[in-house]
Amino acid sequence: MTGINRSAAQLLATIVGNKKVGQYHQILISVGELVSQCKPGNFVAISVGGPNSRMVLRRAFAISRTTTSPQYGGAIELIVAPFGSGSSWLCGLSEGEQIDITLPLGTAFGIPTTSVNALLVGGGYGSAPLFGLAEVLKERGCRVDMLLGASTGSKIYAPLEGKRSVNSLRIFTEDGSMGETGRITAPIAQLVSELQIDVIYSCGPMAMLKAISEILAGGDVVHQCAVEEAMACGIGICMTCVLPVKDESGKINNLRSCIDGPVMDGSAIEWDLVGKTLVL
Amino acid sequence: MTGINRSAAQLLATIVGNKKVGQYHQILISVGELVSQCKPGNFVAISVGGPNSRMVLRRAFAISRTTTSPQYGGAIELIVAPFGSGSSWLCGLSEGEQIDITLPLGTAFGIPTTSVNALLVGGGYGSAPLFGLAEVLKERGCRVDMLLGASTGSKIYAPLEGKRSVNSLRIFTEDGSMGETGRITAPIAQLVSELQIDVIYSCGPMAMLKAISEILAGGDVVHQCAVEEAMACGIGICMTCVLPVKDESGKINNLRSCIDGPVMDGSAIEWDLVGKTLVL
Amino acid sequence: MSQLDFSTTLGNAWFPTPIFTASGCASSGKELSQFFDLRDMGAIVTKSIMTKPRAGRATPRMAETPSGMLNSIGLQGPGIDTFLSNDLAWLVEQKARVIVSIAGETAEEFASLARRLRGVAGISALEVNISCPNVENRGMVFACHLESAQTVIEGVRRTIGGDLPIIAKLSPDVTDIVSIARGVIDAGADGLALINTVLGMVINPNTMRPHLGGRTGGLSGPAIRPIAVRAIYQVHEALPKVPILGMGGVSSGADAFELIMAGASGVSVGTASFGNPTAIVKIQNELRQILTVKGFSSLREAVGFAHRPENSVR
Amino acid sequence: MSQLDFSTTLGNAWFPTPIFTASGCASSGKELSQFFDLRDMGAIVTKSIMTKPRAGRATPRMAETPSGMLNSIGLQGPGIDTFLSNDLAWLVEQKARVIVSIAGETAEEFASLARRLRGVAGISALEVNISCPNVENRGMVFACHLESAQTVIEGVRRTIGGDLPIIAKLSPDVTDIVSIARGVIDAGADGLALINTVLGMVINPNTMRPHLGGRTGGLSGPAIRPIAVRAIYQVHEALPKVPILGMGGVSSGADAFELIMAGASGVSVGTASFGNPTAIVKIQNELRQILTVKGFSSLREAVGFAHRPENSVR
Ligand SMILES: Cc1cc2nc3c(=O)[nH]c(=O)nc-3n(C[C@H](O)[C@H](O)[C@H](O)COP(=O)(O)OP(=O)(O)OC[C@H]3O[C@@H](n4cnc5c(N)ncnc54)[C@H](O)[C@@H]3O)c2cc1C
Ligand SMILES: Cc1cc2nc3c(=O)[nH]c(=O)nc-3n(C[C@H](O)[C@H](O)[C@H](O)COP(=O)(O)OP(=O)(O)OC[C@H]3O[C@@H](n4cnc5c(N)ncnc54)[C@H](O)[C@@H]3O)c2cc1C
Ligand SMILES: Cc1cc2nc3c(=O)[nH]c(=O)nc-3n(C[C@H](O)[C@H](O)[C@H](O)COP(=O)(O)O)c2cc1C
Ligand SMILES: Cc1cc2nc3c(=O)[nH]c(=O)nc-3n(C[C@H](O)[C@H](O)[C@H](O)COP(=O)(O)O)c2cc1C
Ligand code: FES
Ligand code: FES
């Protein structure tokens, strides 16, 4: 258990970019020196709706990547789907506007110390943090293959520059409007053996993460997945975001996905118990 | 009793101007043909805070004047003090933004059919509707004198062009930072007799309206005052905005100041009963 | 959209749509008729009427609160005589459907009001607002005590006879709303109106005293919607056959749909009309749209849907 | 600013500032210590601790509502043993002041928890969260029934002896909160915590079923502030000498000031910390500022100020 977010800080940050990409908004936020603390997998919690907002809770967004530029210093990028009232408000902000953010939060993807074969699997905007991760893995000499999936093409997030850092990229859409037709989980079993995958990094809807875990069950492949449970606080004080996780002794506990996650060991999550009452 | 606002309509209107004047904002709103229905004394009710607002009630603002221009057609002008959350939000809007408004609401200042001597008394932003009224009275051949007062100079609203339509204008501030030092009510008794005033039109804080009524008590001068009670609906359906008003038979009733006002006969209002429980 | 049966019933009263005004939030209808045709909605629920004219509480009577408001009107109204000759007559002339809300200071006043309304043409139902103080019992709210609530409803039932549906309006400010609901149904109510406002207070930072003339006031608006949904759900679970007129913070079709799924057969809109005079029309259109998109063929199928077992089909 | 006496007391416990965390809204303090020094506030009120480790309710455990939220955590926690050895030990090490909140399924569990805490160093007061279900009485919430509320407090009082202040935390979901308040004071409580969350429900428009795993949940946040102010005002009016730890929707210094004028000697901040991890610091600074500007020389003078006659001077 992490316990606390050691490097987390709260700040008023300025939007320095907001661009529509397919059905998403690519939002760039200037955060100064804090970029150096942000690792792939970490997320940021943003206060939404402005001073008269009836929305009392922050919204969590994965940090897609970090950049530094002479103009605005360190910045983080988010890929936001304008879904409900909070995310739509965020997508409606213009350059120069300020937002109250807390970052970096939660666990990060574990980076292997040796060069391994990694498969990155992203569903919808879940692909966002994977490109930054891919770069880090590449630097460590890993082979990096990537699968992206979504219901339809406009929900695939795959920036051109991101493709450079992967050895292969396959895209699946359920309606066939982009890439191959079908579910992203279909090719995984075969790829794992063909490419001799050591570790899968995944990010996307819970159903996708669960399906991957089931495919890998019993095998040796490590599964690091970034989960997305509804979070009221994002910093570990409310206990709303829990998931049933098995510890080394086999005991199942409800762990907070905001602070013991979002990156968790997929094989330790008791997927069938998610949404069920746990008896200790 | 008016019963209903016969010409009222609800519309999405566009801000076509927002200028800071002293401590106020002069806000121009395009409302098309409806300008022809707006009379001095009427007000507008505005939905505030945007789609995620925790403010569920509209805010009322006196229509300061109406204009028509080839650019934006008919428009109304408001003089808004950025006081609390609703008015500050409104003052923060930019040209081109849209707001949900209902107008024209409430009673208007009664215009005499013959030429009379009128004294217009405005406290703070209460002066706003008086300049438009002055023009109308002037057209009717009335003599129009004006008194404006506020705690301090930056709270006096007195546009240059407005001064043209009055015979005299005296300004009082309590701190002496503009015009004469003192309360606006001080010179009224003397002016009434000197200028042979037939009617006083007043708009401003309730305490000022009450003081004027007391000065005029027992005399012949008609007192048309625009009251400002807290209003939840502005259209007569909630009964929050009532004032104790005596009818011709001498019976006192709680009348809705949004629909039987805001312009009321100052001599009919039972000022001492305002805020008291009325027993029928 | 043409296939959806949008009608509803409360007891033996039929309404073409399930959206109503909330008592005290539409005066007697005239003022709203400037903004839409009153016949286009379910019915006007009138402000609660008492025997004599009443001036109500001292001002200030309202305070805005986060996503809500407090009111302390104190049942200002013209009294039953003027109400019948002016307000109701006008509504009937407009061919609007009308639910008359009544309030009394004693159980006897309720019964005598019912007597005055018995046989008056143009009334679809009676809403009995028992969420008001009982002057004979230390000012305790009728709806907060089983016995006084039952006494009122029994008196009204006895007086009014069997035809006009009686809808008892309950207060959420009780330990066990289900027992009060069951009690008033046993006493003769045909349906329930849930919920009246929640007792609240705001202290004015300038005067440093309670802001409202009446000190406490009733909290309404979106802030209380989760409380309304819970109350409706609890009561519908215990009394699935009793029609419920739901209310509390409804300002969109989705909100109305939520109360309907919890168990409401009709939905009253109160505070939302203050913020938007055409809220009722908007809510009605949105609700029709939602039911259609979800594949319901009638409003009735959606009533209490949230109580069905997980795997049940529509 | 230097002249203001900002300290407060709850029973015989003294605190340098009147701002506290709210139980269940700060875990055990460690997570917030990343954002500010825990010693800078009144005290940490821990999440309600039970005898055994508890996994809590099924997810989803939260739903955002207008100006509020529903939660249904179900008292997940490590149990008293781990709490004492890990959480409390860490807090004591940090020199943070601590109010321990306890919860039980039976009156006996409350008493046995009190026994475990008796004599433990570093605890300023005990908050007894009786707003939880009594498994021995059909799951009825202790705080909703006078007798069961009293039984719990009596048991704790008897066990704990005379030193540690006992603060009974009440539920607003009752017909008459004053009678419950009076009852638990008679049973031995030194102070009251008002209010716990209001029972509510949200129905998910997609599943068309109650959204929360626990079906109903507790409503908190600014939406309920008027209810909290009313409850505190009513109880302080009836029991002016009983210290009240107020809470419910406080997110600014002005909000805290409102609860204090209503009668609270201290103010807990819950939901606001979810939206803003430094809310407590902000509220504390704003409150200090307000009291100073209003000319109070001590917090104590402001407690219950709204009850004074109109013309009374400070
Ligand atoms: C760790 C984490 C990372 C995330 N990363 C991204 C991202 O990179 N891009 C992105 O667009 N969104 C992301 N989300 C989802 C995001 O936080 C919001 O939940 C989503 O934008 C919907 O919020 P809303 O205000 O628009 O919708 P509303 O319907 O108004 O939300 C109401 C409440 O429900 C919660 N909620 C609704 N949907 C979800 C969901 N799918 N998951 C969790 N909570 C939900 C919200 O947080 C909010 O509290 C992430 C969530 C988590 C927990
Ligand atoms: C008929 C009428 C005409 C008005 N004309 C103007 C005008 O021309 N210019 C202008 O700046 N303001 C005017 N006001 C006051 C305006 O409606 C708002 O009340 C004021 O701007 C404060 O609102 P807020 O949201 O900023 O403050 P908040 O403190 O957030 O308001 C909270 C609530 O209290 C009510 N309230 C607060 N102060 C007053 C007040 N003084 N009078 C009535 N209700 C109040 C608000 O309407 C709101 O419901 C008028 C009010 C009325 C009733
Ligand atoms: C200003 C106002 C006046 C009200 N008057 C009455 C009334 O006379 N009788 C009644 O039964 N309910 C009255 N109510 C309660 C409403 O009918 C309704 O139950 C409550 O406001 C919740 O619905 P809402 O949130 O949609 O407003 C009143 C509410 C408000 C806001
Ligand atoms: C997520 C959450 C968990 C809570 N857990 C507890 C608890 O364990 N014990 C308790 O007495 N109150 C608990 N409460 C209630 C709060 O302590 C507080 O009384 C209530 O939330 C009102 O304050 P607020 O509006 O500032 O949050 C909880 C509230 C929330 C939102
Ligand atoms: S979101 Fe609050 S503990 Fe995880
Ligand atoms: S403001 Fe609603 S009746 Fe006047």
Side-chain angles (χ1 to χ4, degrees):
Chain A
M1 281 211 258
T2 320
I4 57 169
N5 290 294
R6 278 179 210 289
S7 50
Q10 182 184 11
L11 70 159
L12 264 188
T14 306
I15 306 267
V16 290
N18 181 349
K19 201 170 77 187
K20 209 161 173 249
V21 182
Q23 291 195 14
Y24 303 118
H25 282 249
Q26 195 179 42
I27 296 177
L28 210 59
I29 304 165
S30 160
V31 301
E33 308 268 288
L34 274 173
V35 280
S36 64
Q37 307 291 339
C38 300
K39 300 192 179 60
N42 288 156
F43 68 98
V44 53
I46 304 182
S47 182
V48 290
N52 302 306
S53 179
R54 67 176 175 202
M55 295 181 276
V56 299
L57 303 175
R58 283 175 188 248
R59 302 296 188 262
F61 296 95
I63 297 172
S64 165
R65 62 187 186 99
T66 60
T67 60
T68 310
S69 94
Q71 278 159 275
Y72 45 70
I76 57 165
E77 183 191 85
L78 314 179
I79 304 305
V80 179
F83 169 78
S85 42
S87 51
S88 301
W89 177 85
L90 187 61
C91 292
L93 293 181
S94 312
E95 273 180 45
E97 295 198 68
Q98 290 205 310
I99 50 177
D100 179 343
I101 68 175
T102 311
L103 84 165
L105 300 174
T107 53
F109 286 111
I111 307 298
T113 43
T114 57
S115 71
V116 299
N117 293 335
L119 177 65
L120 278 49
V121 186
Y125 57 72
S127 60
L130 299 184
F131 294 101
L133 174 66
E135 279 174 39
V136 176
L137 292 172
K138 269 288 178 193
E139 282 165 21
R140 295 283 164 100
C142 297
R143 178 187 160 96
V144 180
D145 295 281
M146 191 182 272
L147 291 176
L148 300 184
S151 55
T152 187
S154 61
K155 291 192 177 169
I156 292 288
Y157 175 72
L160 274 182
E161 61 291 5
K163 291 173 197 164
R164 275 184 244 128
S165 42
V166 297
N167 294 63
S168 79
L169 169 67
R170 283 169 70 184
I171 290 175
F172 288 79
T173 56
E174 286 174 39
D175 66 359
S177 57
M178 188 189 280
E180 303 168 54
T181 305
R183 298 219 163 189
I184 193 174
T185 41
I188 289 183
Q190 200 187 338
L191 279 179
V192 163
S193 65
E194 265 177 29
L195 301 173
Q196 296 186 296
I197 296 299
D198 300 297
V199 49
I200 288 188
Y201 294 94
S202 67
C203 186
M206 294 292 269
M208 180 191 97
L209 308 182
K210 179 182 178 185
I212 297 173
S213 294
E214 280 163 1
I215 291 166
L216 303 180
D220 287 338
V221 180
V222 172
H223 180 205
Q224 295 211 17
C225 60
V227 302
E228 193 185 307
E229 253 305 330
M231 294 179 178
C233 77
I235 56 167
I237 60 176
C238 75
M239 310 300 279
T240 58
C241 62
V242 301
L243 286 176
V245 177
K246 204 185 287 181
D247 66 15
E248 275 146 37
S249 73
K251 231 180 122 248
I252 301 166
N253 286 300
N254 272 332
L255 295 196
R256 293 164 294 182
S257 62
C258 67
I259 199 157
D260 301 312
V263 178
M264 293 176 139
D265 174 358
S267 71
I269 298 176
E270 290 293 310
W271 295 100
D272 291 332
L273 294 178
V274 174
K276 299 273 186 316
T277 306
L278 201 63
V279 183
L280 294 187
Chain B
M1 279 212 258
T2 319
I4 57 168
N5 290 295
R6 277 177 213 290
S7 49
Q10 180 184 12
L11 70 158
L12 263 188
T14 306
I15 307 268
V16 291
N18 181 349
K19 201 169 77 187
K20 210 162 174 248
V21 182
Q23 291 196 14
Y24 303 118
H25 280 249
Q26 196 180 40
I27 297 176
L28 209 59
I29 304 164
S30 159
V31 301
E33 309 268 288
L34 274 172
V35 280
S36 63
Q37 307 291 338
C38 299
K39 299 192 181 56
N42 287 157
F43 69 96
V44 54
I46 304 183
S47 181
V48 290
N52 301 309
S53 179
R54 66 177 175 201
M55 296 181 275
V56 298
L57 303 175
R58 282 175 190 249
R59 301 296 188 261
F61 296 94
I63 297 172
S64 164
R65 61 187 188 98
T66 60
T67 60
T68 310
S69 94
Q71 278 160 273
Y72 44 71
I76 57 166
E77 184 191 84
L78 313 179
I79 305 304
V80 179
F83 169 80
S85 43
S87 52
S88 301
W89 177 85
L90 188 60
C91 291
L93 293 182
S94 314
E95 275 180 44
E97 294 197 67
Q98 291 206 309
I99 50 176
D100 179 343
I101 69 176
T102 311
L103 84 166
L105 299 175
T107 55
F109 287 110
I111 307 299
T113 45
T114 59
S115 71
V116 299
N117 293 335
L119 178 63
L120 277 50
V121 186
Y125 58 72
S127 61
L130 299 183
F131 293 99
L133 173 66
E135 279 174 39
V136 176
L137 293 172
K138 268 290 178 193
E139 281 165 23
R140 293 282 164 101
C142 298
R143 180 187 158 94
V144 180
D145 295 282
M146 193 183 271
L147 292 176
L148 301 183
S151 55
T152 189
S154 60
K155 291 191 179 171
I156 293 289
Y157 176 71
L160 274 182
E161 63 288 7
K163 290 171 196 164
R164 275 182 243 129
S165 42
V166 297
N167 293 63
S168 79
L169 169 65
R170 284 170 69 187
I171 290 176
F172 288 78
T173 56
E174 286 174 38
D175 66 359
S177 56
M178 188 189 280
E180 304 167 52
T181 305
R183 296 219 163 186
I184 193 174
T185 41
I188 290 182
Q190 200 187 337
L191 280 179
V192 162
S193 66
E194 266 177 27
L195 301 173
Q196 298 187 295
I197 295 299
D198 300 298
V199 51
I200 288 187
Y201 293 94
S202 67
C203 185
M206 294 293 270
M208 181 192 97
L209 309 181
K210 179 181 178 184
I212 298 173
S213 294
E214 281 164 1
I215 292 166
L216 302 181
D220 286 340
V221 179
V222 172
H223 180 205
Q224 295 211 16
C225 60
V227 302
E228 193 185 306
E229 254 303 331
M231 295 178 178
C233 77
I235 56 168
I237 58 176
C238 75
M239 311 299 281
T240 58
C241 62
V242 300
L243 285 175
V245 177
K246 204 186 285 180
D247 67 16
E248 275 144 36
S249 73
K251 230 179 125 253
I252 301 167
N253 285 301
N254 272 332
L255 296 195
R256 292 164 294 181
S257 62
C258 67
I259 198 157
D260 301 313
V263 178
M264 291 176 140
D265 174 358
S267 70
I269 299 176
E270 291 292 311
W271 294 101
D272 290 332
L273 294 178
V274 174
K276 301 273 184 318
T277 306
L278 200 63
V279 184
L280 294 188
Chain C
M1 303 249 305
S2 59
Q3 263 130 321
L4 180 74
D5 175 2
F6 205 38
S7 69
T8 194
T9 54
L10 297 170
N12 61 25
W14 180 93
F15 306 91
T17 95
I19 304 296
F20 301 74
T21 61
S23 179
C25 301
S27 203
S28 300
K30 202 180 263 183
E31 295 79 3
L32 281 180
S33 72
Q34 167 67 21
F35 296 96
F36 60 91
D37 190 333
L38 300 179
R39 287 170 300 184
D40 288 348
M41 67 174 165
I44 272 271
V45 181
T46 71
K47 61 191 163 192
S48 297
I49 198 76
M50 303 185 73
T51 310
K52 297 208 191 106
R54 246 175 100 98
R57 293 235 183 93
T59 54
R61 290 180 169 186
M62 72 105 172
E64 198 183 48
T65 67
S67 298
M69 67 173 283
L70 287 182
N71 86 80
S72 129
I73 308 298
L75 296 169
Q76 174 170 353
I80 186 77
D81 291 339
T82 308
F83 172 77
L84 288 176
S85 58
N86 287 4
D87 305 18
L88 186 64
W90 184 86
L91 284 169
V92 171
E93 199 183 293
Q94 304 298 308
K95 299 197 167 54
R97 286 162 298 277
V98 183
I99 296 178
V100 175
S101 171
I102 59 171
E105 293 186 326
T106 62
E108 178 44 42
E109 181 172 358
F110 279 99
S112 85
L113 285 162
R115 199 169 301 123
R116 295 294 308 277
L117 289 162
R118 185 174 56 189
V120 173
I123 305 179
S124 297
L126 210 61
E127 189 178 90
V128 185
N129 172 15
I130 51 176
S131 315
C132 54
N134 178 351
V135 297
E136 290 177 333
N137 181 14
R138 293 172 293 144
M140 306 286 255
V141 172
F142 288 101
C144 288
H145 297 277
L146 183 57
E147 273 177 51
S148 55
Q150 286 189 302
T151 310
V152 170
I153 299 300
E154 269 161 14
V156 171
R157 173 84 286 165
R158 217 177 304 121
T159 317
I160 206 90
D163 249 15
L164 209 56
I166 297 176
I167 301 164
K169 183 155 177 184
L170 304 188
S171 164
D173 295 326
V174 293
T175 307
D176 180 8
I177 198 158
V178 169
S179 70
I180 309 274
R182 194 173 274 130
V184 297
I185 292 297
D186 289 348
D190 302 290
L192 300 165
L194 298 170
I195 58 172
N196 214 312
T197 53
V198 180
L199 197 66
M201 179 184 276
V202 159
I203 296 174
N204 183 314
N206 301 318
T207 65
M208 302 199 278
R209 298 295 184 295
H211 179 70
L212 297 176
R215 298 211 292 180
T216 58
L219 184 62
S220 64
I224 68 166
R225 199 171 63 238
I227 305 175
V229 171
R230 182 264 299 171
I232 294 166
Y233 187 93
Q234 287 178 323
V235 170
H236 185 75
E237 184 155 79
L239 305 166
K241 288 189 182 136
V242 173
I244 295 173
L245 179 56
M247 65 206 70
V250 171
S251 59
S252 70
D255 299 344
F257 182 54
E258 192 181 3
L259 269 62
I260 288 165
M261 290 189 290
S265 292
V267 173
S268 276
V269 175
T271 305
S273 292
F274 302 167
N276 178 7
T278 54
I280 292 210
V281 179
K282 178 188 94 110
I283 291 165
Q284 198 159 269
N285 291 339
E286 289 172 352
L287 176 62
R288 201 183 268 120
Q289 176 78 23
I290 288 169
L291 290 170
T292 306
V293 168
K294 297 256 177 207
F296 288 99
S297 64
S298 73
L299 170 84
R300 217 155 305 135
E301 288 175 60
V303 174
F305 198 89
H307 296 263
R308 306 213 191 154
E310 279 296 330
N311 300 323
S312 68
V313 284
R314 197 156 307 130
Chain D
M1 302 252 304
S2 58
Q3 261 130 322
L4 179 74
D5 176 2
F6 204 39
S7 70
T8 195
T9 53
L10 298 170
N12 62 23
W14 180 93
F15 305 92
T17 97
I19 304 297
F20 301 74
T21 61
S23 179
C25 301
S27 203
S28 299
K30 200 179 265 184
E31 296 78 4
L32 282 180
S33 73
Q34 168 67 19
F35 297 95
F36 61 90
D37 189 333
L38 299 180
R39 287 170 300 185
D40 289 348
M41 67 173 167
I44 272 271
V45 180
T46 70
K47 62 190 163 192
S48 298
I49 198 76
M50 302 185 75
T51 308
K52 296 206 190 111
R54 246 173 99 98
R57 292 234 184 94
T59 55
R61 289 180 170 187
M62 72 106 170
E64 198 183 49
T65 67
S67 297
M69 67 172 283
L70 287 181
N71 87 79
S72 131
I73 308 297
L75 296 169
Q76 174 171 353
I80 186 76
D81 291 339
T82 308
F83 172 78
L84 289 175
S85 57
N86 286 6
D87 306 14
L88 186 64
W90 184 86
L91 284 169
V92 170
E93 200 183 291
Q94 305 297 307
K95 299 196 167 52
R97 285 163 297 278
V98 183
I99 296 179
V100 175
S101 171
I102 58 170
E105 293 186 327
T106 63
E108 177 43 43
E109 181 171 358
F110 280 100
S112 85
L113 285 163
R115 198 169 302 124
R116 294 295 308 278
L117 290 163
R118 185 173 58 190
V120 173
I123 305 179
S124 297
L126 210 61
E127 189 178 90
V128 184
N129 173 14
I130 52 176
S131 315
C132 55
N134 178 349
V135 297
E136 289 176 335
N137 183 14
R138 293 171 293 144
M140 308 285 256
V141 172
F142 288 101
C144 288
H145 298 276
L146 184 57
E147 273 176 53
S148 55
Q150 287 189 300
T151 309
V152 170
I153 300 300
E154 272 161 12
V156 171
R157 175 82 289 164
R158 215 177 304 122
T159 315
I160 206 92
D163 250 15
L164 209 58
I166 297 177
I167 301 165
K169 183 155 179 184
L170 305 187
S171 163
D173 295 325
V174 294
T175 307
D176 180 7
I177 197 157
V178 170
S179 69
I180 309 272
R182 194 173 275 129
V184 296
I185 293 297
D186 290 348
D190 301 288
L192 300 165
L194 299 169
I195 58 177
N196 215 311
T197 53
V198 181
L199 197 65
M201 179 185 275
V202 158
I203 295 173
N204 182 314
N206 300 320
T207 64
M208 302 199 279
R209 298 296 183 298
H211 179 69
L212 298 176
R215 296 210 294 180
T216 58
L219 184 61
S220 63
I224 68 165
R225 198 171 63 239
I227 305 175
V229 171
R230 182 264 299 173
I232 294 165
Y233 187 93
Q234 288 178 323
V235 170
H236 185 74
E237 183 155 80
L239 305 166
K241 290 189 182 136
V242 173
I244 295 172
L245 179 58
M247 64 207 70
V250 171
S251 59
S252 70
D255 299 343
F257 183 54
E258 192 181 3
L259 268 62
I260 288 165
M261 291 188 289
S265 293
V267 173
S268 276
V269 175
T271 306
S273 294
F274 302 167
N276 178 7
T278 54
I280 292 209
V281 179
K282 178 187 94 111
I283 291 166
Q284 198 161 269
N285 290 339
E286 288 172 353
L287 176 63
R288 200 184 269 120
Q289 177 77 20
I290 289 170
L291 290 170
T292 306
V293 168
K294 297 258 175 206
F296 288 100
S297 65
S298 72
L299 170 84
R300 217 156 304 134
E301 288 175 59
V303 174
F305 197 88
H307 296 263
R308 308 215 189 152
E310 280 294 332
N311 299 322
S312 67
V313 285
R314 196 156 309 131

